[in-house]
Each structure stands twice: as C-alpha cells, then as structure tokens.
Amino acid sequence: MHSLVFLCARRLVSHRPGARRALDLLPAELYPVLFQAAFLDGRTLALRDLVGTWPFPVLSFQRLLGRHRGRHPFLGEKPSKLCVQAVILAVVAHLRRALEEPCRGVRQCRLRVLDMTGLQDDDTDRGPEGMSLWSGTVALAKACIEVSKHQSECLKRGSKRRKGPSGASAAPQPVGVEVRADLFVNGTSYGVLRDALQTGAAGPLHLKCRDFHAEELSVAGTVSLLESLEPAGVRRVDLRFNNLGLAGLCAVLPHLTRFTDLLSLKLPYSNVDVRRLAAGTDAGLRRLAAQLGRLPRLKELNLGSSRLSGKLRQLLGDLQAPLESLELAFCYLLPGDLAFLSQSLHAPALRKLDLSGHHFAENLLQPFRHLLEETSASLLHLDLMECRLTDARLEALLPALCRCSRLRCLGLFGNPLSTPALKTLLRKTVVLPDLRLVVYPYPVDCYSQEPARPPSASGWLFEDAVDEERFAAVSAELCRMLVSFGRADAVWTASLCRHGALDYFAL
C-alpha cells in the first residue's frame, strides 16, 4: 500500500505543466518520491524535468526504486525502457545546456553520479516495454558519444569568440556526470561501446562499469574493451561464447589484474579441452592457473562447459583465497577432481556449487558425497541438473544433502527421478529451514509416451512428451505436502525461469 505522500506525488506528476512550475517551489526532500511516482506511472516528461533539476549529487536507481533478488518493489521485474531512456536523455540535455551556458532562473541541477547498476537483467522476461542490458548499454554509449561531440563543437565555437591570456580557449567547462552501469556487449554493439569508452573517458559524461558481460567477441576485441574500462569498481567479468580457447584465455586474463576489486570471473563456453593432446597444453594450463592466482579478491569462478578432466588441482592450486562460488557444469570431472575439492581450502567456504551435467555413477557418487559433507556448513545453492540421478542415487545422497543446514536453493532439473523419489526428497529436506526453492524434473512416470526425441544422456528433458494432467496432479500433491509440513513459504517448481534469476551477489 502506498503512502499518502506517494499518492500526492503521483497526482502532481500526472499534471505535467503544473508539476514543472512547482519544482522550483518544492523542497528537495520530495524529489525521491516524485521520481518514484513518475517512474511507476511512466511519466517520461516529468522524469526529464525531475532529473534536469535534480537537487542531490547522486541519483541511484537501486536506492530510489529498490532491488531485491531480481525484483523492484515499485516496478516488479520490468523497468520501463521509455522511462530509462527519459532519464538518460535528461542527463544529456543537462550537460548540453551546461556546455553552452549556465542555467538561469531555475533550480540548478546538482547531479554528479547516475547509478544505474542492477537495473536490467538479461535472464528476465522483459517483454517489448522492458529494457535489456544490451539495449541499456547501447543507449548509454550513444549518450556518451553525443555529449563528447557536443563538447568538441562548443570548444571550437568558443575558441573563435574567447581567448584567454595565453591564447587558449577560455570556454567554460561543465562539471561532469559519472554513470555507473552494468554493461553487456556483443559483436553488434562492440563498436559503439568502444568509441564511448575511449572518447568519453575524459568527457562530461563518463561511463564507469560495475559488471562487464561480453559475448562472441574476438580476443583482440575483448582485450580492447577491458583496457578501456576504468579499473576501480569492476566487480564481475563475464565472457561467454567467445570461443577463446586456452591460448585466448591466457591472452585475456593478464588484462584482468588491473581490476583490483574483481570478485567474480565467468568463462563458460570458452572451448578449453584438456583431453586434446595438443602441444603446449600443460604449459598453457600453468599460465592460466598463475593468472587466476593473481586475482587476490576472486570469490566466484565459472568454468562451465570446459573439459577439465583431471586438471582441477592444477587450475585452482594458485588461488590465494577460498572461492565462495564455483560453477563447473559439464566439465567432465573425474573422481580425483572431486577428491581435490573436498580437501581444498574452497570446500568449507563454498556457498554456491554447480556440478550440473556430470554422470553421478558410483565412481563419481562417493567422492561427491564426501564433497557435500565438507561444504555442508556453508552451502546455500546447489545445482545438480542433468546428472543422471536415479531414485537410488538420490537416496544415497540424501543423508549428506540433509546435513546442508543453510541450503536455500536446489536444482535437480533434467534428472530421471520418479514421483515417489520427489516425495521422499520433500519429506527428508523439509527440515532444512532455509530451503526456499527446489527446481525438480518432470517425473519419469509423468511421461505419456517416449519423448519425440530420444532423451539426452543426462536424463528426461522433453516437455512435449509430458502428460500435463498427470504432472499437474503431482505438482498439486507436492504443494499440499509443503502446506501440511508448515512449509508453504517454499517453492517447488519445474520451471527454470525462477532458477535463472538467482545471483551469487544476492545471496
């Protein structure tokens, strides 16, 4: 329920001519609630007026709109593209005015930092009105380039009209605005972001990155952008589908040592395969391990879909501090790799562990059970999707799993489990007080026929062969069981949408 102040603010921003005149008379303390009302109702013109006269040095979307585990209390899950663009355009307009002449007769804009971090999530179903991380990055990059060009034009005009004592241009320089944002770039947007980072580094609109995501870029393109980022404040680098290979990773990682605040490194789908007996593989692994060891604050590492069989000790052996999040999905690990993890400094510190895509036959099941026992005191998030977990194998894991007293999220999608096994899992894990989300597979007994395509080696995955009525009955029964155990707060679902929104930094 909204407060009376918010309802009054909503009324004011809905009448734009009156609101524009009233801004000079309103106390600065009302600006945040006016911004909230304008953003919620999509009042783009009111937003431009508010930002153009913003009375504080910082405008933070997270502070104003709230943010918790993928949701904005005021906005739900879909920040409006038009509203975000309105804020960016208002900042551009403010800087253009400041470049030309100081504002007179209206409240001065005191904005120095625009914090847009955490605003967009690319794994959320935004719909046509939402703004993706990619489109937000492009909008900011174009804004930086526009302001830099306008600054150059103003300096050229000013140099013809005004000359200082030494003959240099005496054109007034505006106070700049620093934009903090999470950036997403691919081959389509590479050029505009590169230009924005290079031309805007000393410009009035300065782009500062927190989380950097890049897809399908060359080694040279990746290195160019990493070198253009301001080092301070970069906490995550996520390089996906870049096909870098071992040699490419060894070329890229030295450029990450500039980021002294780096906490997270994600390198999934990097096309590393240690099973290939190529010359220089061992030397490359040693270089890669040494470079990982030069990231002293690293807490999160994702090497998913690389073939690392038997090499985990070598790769992680140089790390200076324990990891708290380790994602090794589809990495073809061997029992010795899991044994190393169990004995390493990482095991008692792990909060998130992803071992999806591994075949938990007996030779891997026992070392994994030992690893689970070693991580039980800290583990919050466990992914075991598509691991060929049968009813018997899950039953063998249950004692160790139930020792994970802090577990919040469990991913089991894609495993060939039956309805009775899921019921047993629920009854056994209901004692875990923090377990709020379980992503379970379609039970094998809910398939009306053999899947139209053969099941993957990892288990039954195909929704098109599921008997919807039978599955709905199973889902309803699981919900009733949760209620009967007093755990109606927990979510058991076969949907991967909720699962994708979880974030190590939000844990």
Side-chain angles (χ1 to χ4, degrees), residues 53-69:
T53 55
W54 195 250
F56 309 107
V58 177
L59 193 162
S60 169
F61 278 83
Q62 290 200 55
R63 291 182 193 170
L64 291 170
L65 305 176
R67 176 78 171 170
H68 182 65
R69 299 202 179 195

Side-chain angles (χ1 to χ4, degrees), residues 16-36:
R16 198 239 172 183
R20 184 68 185 87
R21 291 190 298 270
L23 287 181
D24 289 339
L25 305 175
L26 292 175
E29 290 75 17
L30 290 179
Y31 266 67
V33 70
L34 289 168
F35 185 93
Q36 292 168 354

Side-chain angles (χ1 to χ4, degrees), residues 189-262:
S189 58
Y190 166 77
V192 67
L193 181 59
R194 177 202 57 204
D195 293 346
L197 291 172
Q198 293 176 355
T199 62
L205 191 58
H206 176 55
L207 199 53
K208 188 171 181 178
C209 178
R210 184 188 68 163
D211 292 354
F212 179 76
H213 307 258
E215 282 190 4
E216 300 177 339
L217 294 186
S218 66
V219 172
T222 303
V223 168
S224 175
L225 290 180
L226 291 174
E227 285 294 302
S228 299
L229 294 175
E230 183 178 324
V234 176
R235 69 168 193 175
R236 170 182 281 161
V237 171
D238 187 344
L239 308 177
R240 294 174 179 263
F241 304 105
N242 293 295
N243 199 30
L244 297 172
L246 184 57
L249 289 179
C250 289
V252 167
L253 258 64
H255 299 275
L256 300 180
T257 57
R258 303 169 54 243
F259 305 132
T260 56
D261 298 322
L262 189 68

Side-chain angles (χ1 to χ4, degrees), residues 83-102:
C83 288
V84 176
Q85 289 174 335
V87 173
I88 296 172
L89 290 173
V91 174
V92 170
H94 156 61
L95 291 174
R96 286 175 66 98
R97 288 194 302 269
L99 282 164
E100 292 167 359
E101 60 179 327

Side-chain angles (χ1 to χ4, degrees), residues 426 440 474-484 487-488 492:
L426 191 152
Y440 62 88
V474 171
S475 298
E477 187 171 0
L478 293 175
C479 288
R480 285 194 296 270
M481 290 178 65
L482 288 170
V483 171
S484 69
R487 291 301 308 275
W492 279 57

